[in-house]
Amino acid sequence: MYSLNDSMAKRSTLFIRIVEGKNLPIKDISGSSDPYCIVKIDNEAIIRTATIWKTLSPFWGEEYTVHLPPYFHTVSFCVLDEDSLSQDDVIGKVSITKEVLTAKPQGVDGWMNLTEIDPDEEVQGEIHLQISVQGDGDIPRKLCCQVLEARDLAKKDRNGASDPFVRVRYNGKTYESTVVKKSCYPRWNESFEFELDETLADTGLLSVEVWDWDLVSRNDFLGKVLFNINKLQSAKQEEGWFHLGPDKSKHSEYEGTLGSLRLQLRLRDEVVLPSSHYKPVTELLSQSVCSQLKGNWPDFIMLIDETTTAENRQEVANNLVKLFLGQGLVKEFLDVIFKLELGKTNEPNTLFRNNSLASKSMESFLKVAGMQYLHRLLGPIINRIFEEKKYVELDPSKVELKEAGCAGLHRQQTESDIIQQSSILLQSYLSELLTSVLQSASYCPLLICQVFHQLYLRVQERFPEPEYRKVKFIAVTSFLCLRFISPAIMSPKLFHLREKHADARTSRTLLLLAKAVQTIGNMDTLTCCSKEPWMVCLQPAIQQGITQLKDFITKLVNCHESEDLELQTRMSLQCGTMEKEGFLFLHRTKDKCMPMTSPFKKYYVTLRKDTLSYSRTPHSKKSSFISLPKIQAVEKVEEKCFGSANVMQVISSEDSGQQETLYLNCKSVNELNHWLSALRKACSHNTNTMSCYHPGIYKTDRWSCCHQKEKSDPGCDKTRHGLTLQEWFDPLDPDLEAQLIYQHLRSVQHAMRDKYYELREQQGVQEADSGRDQKKVDGLSKLFSILQDLHDAHAAVEEEERSKNKKVFLE
């Protein structure tokens, strides 16, 4: 029987797609708004979307994958209106509990009304209580509530903290604790007793409320917990950390009037078994790829292709690509699905244009294997456009003379002036980009070249020349240009080319450049100019670009023939390397107290496989470093400590046993969370990690968070090792991908069997070929047997966990 003590991992993953909004309220004097979204996990901001300028119906289309700790409660989406001169206006929010997500394993997809952000609803944190029922027999029983401490309370005061106290209510009687000044991590250690009213055994409630004390204004609500007395009498005692909830009795009068968000969410909880459990299914799928290339029929890849629905095709494609990358068979896998797709396509104009498993798999492959190539290719031109911030517009109906400014002293530019200048500027951008594309054949990863080579040959074989001369080129550009380069130009932040989203002016420039690249990728200038005649001014540049792109593809698909070993090494696949670097403001402290003035200095910080290093410049010979195995925690720092909400701390141990803390100040919430995620994942296998930490700083002989006086006192908040964002450079995890493929195969098992017999009947399998057919049936039975073994292993894990939980409860 499989044991929980073996190497096993529990994971919770939340897939988030922020699609769009509608009917948002007007917040600007222009009669519009500039909305953006902040995503929070239990009130901790982890993501900020782009600002969509001058609209009440924004479209974001941003996707994120977040790895979560098992104890999270709520995911919230707060919509705000960006203001450049004043504080951003709050529009509303959508909150979804973990229970709702768990109840819908297929996911949540739809429009959700924004609600008012009520201060009494914006609660967070936990409180540590011990509640017991004392007394027996003739002695009147008492209800005892010991209030120990709280953590991560909401910040209600201007100083970045709160002055919390506890109010305990039962049967009309109320007690209050002392007030702890300037702390979101208070410690009380106070007890309160009530006479137990036996007549309220079934309906009695004990209420524990936390409030922020204010001298002048009314006290602010920080959250509450309710306890059923009947359950308490059965258990005699209840002790632990309890999540603080909002006041459910209040209802917003603005509900439904603040607009709505369209969201797609899906929570996935996984138990990943040790590698040995997945070896049979991985080997069978690998054999399937090899046998399919030899012409055997039918095989598992074909059945997966036929039975995968549109709603989960992207995820299945991504899992398959990563699984076969780990097995060294991704080139063969892609060749198989190219062959399957070509077999179903009669019209070359529709080739790879739909969202088939082949299209999604190739898209996933390019993102996993080609991101460093993309950064080198597009980085310079994207940076130039962001830095220049030129006003570019070709569509006469969208030209804004005020935006363009003056051409010279006292002379306003005309519409034709703007369009002419925009055309020249766009041609300059396009020329620079195409030059980079031509040069990139020398550094494109070899594996990508090989995949495009086999795609080129497969298409040429299916649609031979001279009738279909352009089809083989368009097959390559449909992936390279339309599904990789163009989306990255339009949304550089989503492809990690920029730390921040583009403003409205830069976004329009990027969109026009992406349109030109798409036209070149389609290799058809006439269609584009007929749909958007204002693009005709770019036609000569686009026509030249088509010729250049053909030359590039010819070079690219022949790169695999290079005998230059140094070149092949340089072009080798570079994915799954945990690396990150950039300028940050840094402060390092050992036992010394925090200085009164700002301690941060600018350093170039680099995260590599085994170290976190920092130096004054990127190429400085002198640098300091921290060994990753010595890192014990990577956590956020309270805003009040440095006056910034984007500070993180890296706590490490020295050889002497002393702790050292490195503070890093990031420019934005997104940069902060990317660095947190990268470091947490790089240290995920460390054995000396901390379970609690201090979110404050040690200053003037005490911790600013909980007011403990000894620097060595235990932390007042739990660490969040499990909260990370999924990144393109994350290392491959073969066991996780195999687990996800197993789950998908299990869900489509009956559909695969039905599809097999349907295809078998269509092919007209003869009795004479019954021996070969029997092998196919045996292969399918073998797959189902392997899936059943994995199912039994998971069932054993669940049973052992239930037994373990029951034992803990009885104790």
Side-chain angles (χ1 to χ4, degrees), residues 94 377 394 398 426 581 639 697 777:
V94 172
L377 173 67
L394 297 179
K398 293 184 178 179
L426 271 174
E581 57 191 5
E639 182 176 356
I697 55 175
V777 175

Side-chain angles (χ1 to χ4, degrees), residues 394 423 426-428 430-431 434 512-529 532-550:
L394 297 179
S423 174
L426 271 174
Q427 289 183 60
S428 169
L430 190 59
S431 174
L434 288 169
L512 291 170
L513 180 60
K515 280 180 177 288
V517 172
Q518 287 173 346
T519 305
I520 293 171
N522 286 324
M523 297 191 173
D524 185 2
T525 57
L526 296 177
T527 303
C528 172
C529 293
E532 297 170 320
W534 43 266
M535 288 280 287
V536 73
C537 60
L538 295 180
Q539 191 166 356
I542 289 172
Q543 195 60 55
Q544 183 182 357
I546 292 172
T547 304
Q548 290 175 307
L549 195 60
K550 283 184 177 179

Side-chain angles (χ1 to χ4, degrees), residues 114-130:
L114 288 164
T115 59
E116 179 192 14
I117 298 182
D118 185 337
D120 285 352
E121 296 290 316
E122 295 304 294
V123 300
Q124 65 184 66
E126 298 171 307
I127 186 167
H128 189 188
L129 303 169
Q130 186 180 79

Side-chain angles (χ1 to χ4, degrees), residues 1-8 274 277 796-797 800:
M1 180 176 174
Y2 177 71
S3 173
L4 276 169
N5 295 324
D6 295 339
S7 175
M8 181 194 72
H277 287 265
V797 168
E800 186 171 350

Side-chain angles (χ1 to χ4, degrees), residues 642-692:
F642 299 105
S644 169
N646 302 318
V647 178
M648 58 183 282
Q649 56 180 313
V650 180
I651 306 170
S652 60
S653 60
E654 295 185 313
D655 293 334
S656 62
Q658 291 183 332
Q659 280 188 348
E660 182 175 346
T661 304
L662 182 72
Y663 295 99
L664 301 172
N665 192 3
C666 303
K667 294 189 286 289
S668 66
V669 64
N670 285 338
E671 184 181 59
L672 170 68
N673 283 294
H674 286 311
W675 273 101
L676 279 169
S677 294
L679 275 163
R680 284 170 176 171
K681 285 180 281 194
C683 303
S684 60
H685 298 294
N686 288 6
T687 56
N688 62 337
T689 54
M690 299 164 62
S691 59
C692 58

Side-chain angles (χ1 to χ4, degrees), residues 214-261:
D214 284 319
L215 178 63
V216 179
S217 60
R218 72 178 183 89
N219 296 333
D220 299 310
F221 180 70
L222 294 178
K224 70 177 182 180
V225 187
L226 295 175
F227 295 91
N228 184 294
I229 302 303
N230 189 32
K231 292 181 179 179
L232 277 173
Q233 290 187 84
S234 302
K236 294 293 184 183
Q237 179 173 305
E238 192 163 350
E239 192 264 336
W241 285 95
F242 300 94
H243 179 66
L244 290 167
D247 187 352
K248 302 288 186 182
S249 61
K250 300 186 75 173
H251 297 282
S252 172
E253 59 185 281
Y254 297 99
E255 190 166 351
T257 65
L258 299 174
S260 53
L261 284 182

Side-chain angles (χ1 to χ4, degrees), residues 78 150-151 198 214 232 351 426 448 504 524 647 747 758 795:
C78 302
R151 61 189 180 194
E198 303 290 351
D214 284 319
L232 277 173
L351 184 61
L426 271 174
I448 292 179
D524 185 2
V647 178
S747 68
E758 179 188 326

